[in-house]
Amino acid sequence: MAVLPGQIGIGVFSPRLDALGNSVRGIRVCQELSRHLELHLFSRPVVGKSTIRLKFTGAEFNSSRVRTPDESKILRESAKAIRVYQLQGNLMFATAEPVVRDVLEHAGE
């Protein structure tokens, strides 16, 4: 079992054990996850500060770009389906979760 407070908890197992009784492949999996997802005890996400700074749909925002009448019509018809997210801070494993959850929650829209 490996725990990184505020970021991840994971349980891994493989029958081959090292001299200390730890799962050799389990340790390797944790090392790879840590490397690929930039997980570190001293690299913690800011608590209480949301990664999502601002979000809106295309219907809630007007662009100053000049478009053809056909482009404008398509944009008006699709405006509610367009979602824009303005993010803040470092996007790491733990801070990306609220973003992914919000995107999935609104995916059908």
Side-chain angles (χ1 to χ4, degrees):
M1 292 175 59
V3 176
L4 194 53
Q7 295 187 54
I8 190 172
I10 186 171
V12 293
F13 176 77
S14 178
R16 196 172 105 204
L17 305 178
D18 64 13
L20 299 174
N22 297 314
S23 168
V24 173
R25 290 184 186 140
I27 295 291
R28 183 71 178 157
V29 165
C30 289
Q31 289 171 337
E32 290 298 313
L33 281 173
S34 177
R35 187 171 62 83
H36 287 293
L37 300 176
E38 297 181 18
L39 299 171
H40 192 276
L41 182 61
F42 298 116
S43 178
R44 298 194 45 177
V46 178
V47 177
K49 191 173 186 182
S50 176
T51 305
I52 302 173
R53 183 170 181 263
L54 183 65
K55 63 181 178 180
F56 52 89
T57 68
E60 300 166 325
F61 182 79
N62 292 320
S63 171
S64 60
R65 181 175 175 180
V66 178
R67 294 185 169 81
T68 67
D70 288 339
E71 290 173 333
S72 295
K73 180 183 176 205
I74 292 169
L75 187 57
R76 273 192 311 277
E77 292 170 354
S78 305
K80 288 185 180 179
I82 298 169
R83 297 197 68 80
V84 178
Y85 289 84
Q86 186 178 59
L87 307 178
Q88 64 185 358
N90 294 330
L91 197 59
M92 302 175 352
F93 184 74
T95 57
E97 182 183 3
V99 178
V100 172
R101 285 184 186 270
D102 197 88
V103 167
L104 292 175
E105 181 180 322
H106 296 97
E109 299 172 15

